Amino acid sequence: MRKRDLGILMLAAIAIFFCLQNEGDFSFREAWFHLTEEYPFKNEAERLPPPLITDLNGDGRSEILVATHDAKIQVLEPHVGSADEGFSEARLIAEVSLLPERVRIAAGRRPVAMSTGFIHSVYKQGEIRKQILVVVTAGWSVMCFDHNLKKLWETNIQEDFPHGAHHREVAISISNYTLKHGDVGLVIVGGRMELQPHLFLDPFEEAIIAEKNAEQHQRSLEEKEGVEAGSTKLSGQDLRHFSYYAFAGRSGIQRWKHRSEDLEHHLSDSSELIPQYNYKLDAQALNSRRPGEVECKEFRESILGVMPHHWERREDTKFELAHFRKHKRKTLKKMPGRKSSPLDKLDDKHVYGKDTNNKIVGAIGKAAEYAASSKKRKRNLYFPMITNQTQLWWIPNVLVAHQKEGIEAIHLASGRTICKLHLQEGGLHADINGDGVLDHVQAVGGGGAEQTVSTGTMEILRPCWAVASSGVPVREQLFNASICRYSPFGVFHQGDFSSQTFGHNTVNAAPIEVATPILIPRNDGHKHQKGSHGDVIFLTSRGEVTSYAAGVHGQGAIRRWQLLTGSSWSNLPSPAGMVEEKVVPTLKALSLHAHGSQAVVLVAGEQEATIISPSGSLLASILLPSPPILPLLDGDFSNDGLTDLVLVTSNGIYGFVQTRQPGALFFSSLVGCLIIVMAVILVSQHFNSTKSKPRAFERKSIDPR
């Protein structure tokens, strides 16, 4: 074979090898579906909670838990068939009704939140771990079920909330920690209500509410309580305050509760005990006397440990167990001329009359103590019980609530507020540059009538613009840049929606919307706290995905990459100004493995979802059968260790399973081996040809002709 032909084959093999590397080795295909009835919503609070992907009975196979409008919880078995089958209907395994057993009244029994978790603290090796299911209904009934959907306990806390209000925020936390000996697990439920107009109330619901009010009024008269006391109680309720309730996991006994009324009574009692001349008139003292308003700068490292934080809808309210530590301040230098005296610190272990410096006396004392202890010490099993004295770093001591107004840390043992940090609604709150200071990233679209003001300033943000600021309150601005069509000068015309973007014509008359930005961690060789220092990813309704990083030493924004995808959407308002079916986009960090740490970017719009690598390369795309009404859910329902996706629409739920393509990897390995073999042959032919040429020249010179 000639060297020229061998070189051409080698170049072709190298091209095939690089094409296989860029092709990707995974994809998402259609797996199962479950149709639901379309239900007309009166307001945003009537939406059902998103489905759950969990292994409820511990058999190693995941189930899908779905809530219905007729007050039921259904358990589905996802079907994962071959690639040619497409969508196949999921099988209904079991269902449980949330209606009362004797009186089948559906009012107030619609589920608004549900969660699963483990409550048993000790498990033997090889033992099957089973979970419980906790459901919160619209009437504030907290219901707990075991792995077989058998009701364990039920309690109602409706009396602590005003009637005629709907759930604005609600969250559930299930853990295997306990607060009292004899308990099994801990369940914490919290939420906040908002008043709704009486125009949207059901007449039957109004009759039930009136009947309950009459019964409570009659009961109060029998107990010699005036009507004024009841009206004062209702007027004293703070709807903006987030209420918490802690229950024992197995029995449902209430361990503590945290309400706005308790804080107001505590505030009034403490103010009566303080003399008038003893008040401090500085602003910091006044803020410290407000209920729940504790300075969070004492826990700055712990606050950054529970980031990032963002809130856009009711599903973004969540609970998280964490261990809070106070900020370690630098030790002060010792003053010259002052020496520490042994009398300053008392030694509790010191026994008076005993010489601790004598080693012989110490050895005799230890031998006497060992001889006195005749009983053998048994190794006790440790049960994680949380008390007021719990200080172990691996045991959580606070419940962190990610709310609409910010972050609140509740003491896990008592329920009192440890720290509350008010954060501006909208955008991303995280330490994006890794300097240990909390940052805020805002992004706005274009073409709408609303205007957004930058955090900490009175400047109105330009259309299709992103601003990152540092500090709470704001101390400096990190960067501001365009997130739409990129230009060197950051120019964006508000009315230019029909222009070419990256070579594609995108004609869209709707205003440009933006999704809440996310943070993708980036490794720069230094050690940073979890959830900090990375690239900020932005998504617009035109499908434009942009990655920015905060520069060091005030360099501004560094644009990593920008990509145009098919994940676009539009929410055109109706003539009445109401959005009939709002499309909810998806922008989140996704791990391709169920317990993996390396994340990719998942974006989804109205008709297509896209997987993007942190470096900006397109990995996979998925065609959606219907517009999503919730962000895409991720979980492993195929039980193969790979992350799958679930789409929630107005008429059904669809599952997409992740499939790997090992053939491409194997073929690329064969092509790589072929390249090495051809390179060896090419080099050997080159050396053989150089050795044979001088011999031919010598023969020609010796020829007598």
Side-chain angles (χ1 to χ4, degrees), residues 118-295:
F118 300 97
I119 60 173
H120 294 281
S121 57
V122 177
Y123 290 92
K124 297 180 181 179
Q125 188 175 4
E127 185 180 0
I128 298 177
R129 302 188 64 184
K130 300 177 181 180
Q131 303 186 56
I132 64 170
L133 170 66
V134 177
V135 182
V136 178
T137 64
W140 275 112
S141 293
V142 183
M143 310 174 69
C144 181
F145 302 90
D146 63 357
H147 61 282
N148 290 324
L149 297 183
K150 181 181 178 181
K151 186 187 296 184
L152 298 177
W153 52 269
E154 178 182 355
T155 184
N156 189 275
I157 52 178
Q158 176 66 46
E159 296 181 356
D160 297 336
F161 297 94
H163 297 285
H166 64 267
H167 294 261
R168 183 54 177 162
E169 297 181 74
V170 60
I172 304 172
S173 172
I174 304 174
S175 64
N176 54 2
Y177 297 98
T178 57
L179 301 181
K180 190 176 181 180
H181 286 288
D183 291 350
V184 180
L186 178 64
V187 176
I188 302 178
V189 176
R192 184 175 65 89
M193 305 289 285
E194 279 187 355
L195 290 176
Q196 60 182 355
H198 293 281
L199 179 63
F200 298 105
L201 285 179
D202 190 6
F204 183 68
E205 187 176 357
E206 288 183 353
I208 294 178
I209 292 175
E211 185 178 355
K212 288 184 178 180
N213 291 336
E215 293 178 358
Q216 291 181 359
H217 180 66
Q218 184 67 24
R219 191 182 303 114
S220 63
L221 289 178
E222 293 176 357
E223 296 176 358
K224 297 182 180 181
E225 293 180 358
V227 183
E228 293 82 3
S231 61
T232 305
K233 181 179 179 180
L234 289 176
S235 62
Q237 290 179 348
D238 185 10
L239 294 179
R240 296 184 58 186
H241 183 75
F242 206 94
S243 300
Y244 305 86
Y245 300 85
F247 305 95
R250 175 64 67 177
S251 60
I253 302 175
Q254 187 178 110
R255 292 307 175 194
W256 53 259
K257 59 182 178 180
H258 177 95
R259 300 180 303 172
S260 60
E261 299 174 5
D262 301 335
L263 295 176
E264 290 176 359
H265 291 320
H266 176 73
L267 179 63
S268 61
D269 296 341
S270 61
S271 61
E272 291 176 358
L273 296 176
I274 300 176
Q276 293 183 357
Y277 59 83
N278 198 21
Y279 278 108
K280 295 181 180 180
L281 299 181
D282 55 308
Q284 185 176 0
L286 292 177
N287 288 332
S288 63
R289 295 186 187 278
R290 295 178 184 175
E293 297 287 339
V294 184
E295 290 291 336

Side-chain angles (χ1 to χ4, degrees), residues 267-456:
L267 179 63
S268 61
D269 296 341
S270 61
S271 61
E272 291 176 358
L273 296 176
I274 300 176
Q276 293 183 357
Y277 59 83
N278 198 21
Y279 278 108
K280 295 181 180 180
L281 299 181
D282 55 308
Q284 185 176 0
L286 292 177
N287 288 332
S288 63
R289 295 186 187 278
R290 295 178 184 175
E293 297 287 339
V294 184
E295 290 291 336
C296 286
K297 63 182 180 181
E298 299 293 335
F299 306 96
R300 59 190 70 176
E301 290 84 6
S302 300
I303 289 292
L304 292 177
V306 297
M307 293 296 167
H309 168 80
H310 67 90
W311 197 96
E312 190 174 359
R313 56 186 58 88
R314 188 180 66 186
E315 289 76 19
D316 295 332
T317 302
K318 61 181 180 179
F319 288 161
E320 178 182 358
L321 299 181
H323 185 88
F324 268 33
R325 290 182 177 181
K326 287 190 175 182
H327 174 66
K328 294 183 179 180
R329 301 184 181 274
K330 295 182 179 179
T331 56
L332 299 177
K333 295 182 179 180
K334 295 183 178 180
M335 298 297 294
R338 182 180 177 181
K339 297 181 180 180
S340 60
S341 174
L343 298 177
D344 295 340
K345 297 181 180 180
L346 297 178
D347 189 6
D348 296 336
K349 297 182 180 180
H350 178 70
V351 180
Y352 296 98
K354 180 179 178 180
D355 188 6
T356 56
N357 296 325
N358 194 338
K359 297 182 179 180
I360 299 176
V361 175
I364 295 174
K366 290 182 180 180
E369 291 178 0
Y370 181 78
S373 59
S374 59
K375 296 182 180 180
K376 295 182 179 180
R377 296 182 179 180
K378 296 182 180 180
R379 187 177 181 182
N380 298 326
L381 294 176
Y382 179 76
F383 294 90
M385 189 182 71
I386 300 173
T387 61
N388 292 328
Q389 287 77 28
T390 301
Q391 296 182 357
L392 298 176
W393 63 269
W394 55 275
I395 295 182
N397 55 3
V398 297
L399 173 75
V400 180
H402 294 263
Q403 308 172 8
K404 178 182 179 181
E405 296 182 351
I407 289 179
E408 185 175 8
I410 301 297
H411 190 222
L412 203 55
S414 61
R416 59 183 177 88
T417 300
I418 298 295
C419 167
K420 187 170 184 180
L421 180 62
H422 291 271
L423 300 174
Q424 184 176 354
E425 183 182 352
L428 172 69
H429 296 272
D431 182 14
I432 62 175
N433 54 0
D435 60 349
V437 180
L438 186 60
D439 307 321
H440 182 210
V441 182
Q442 290 177 280
V444 295
E450 298 181 357
Q451 294 181 344
T452 305
V453 180
S454 176
T455 305

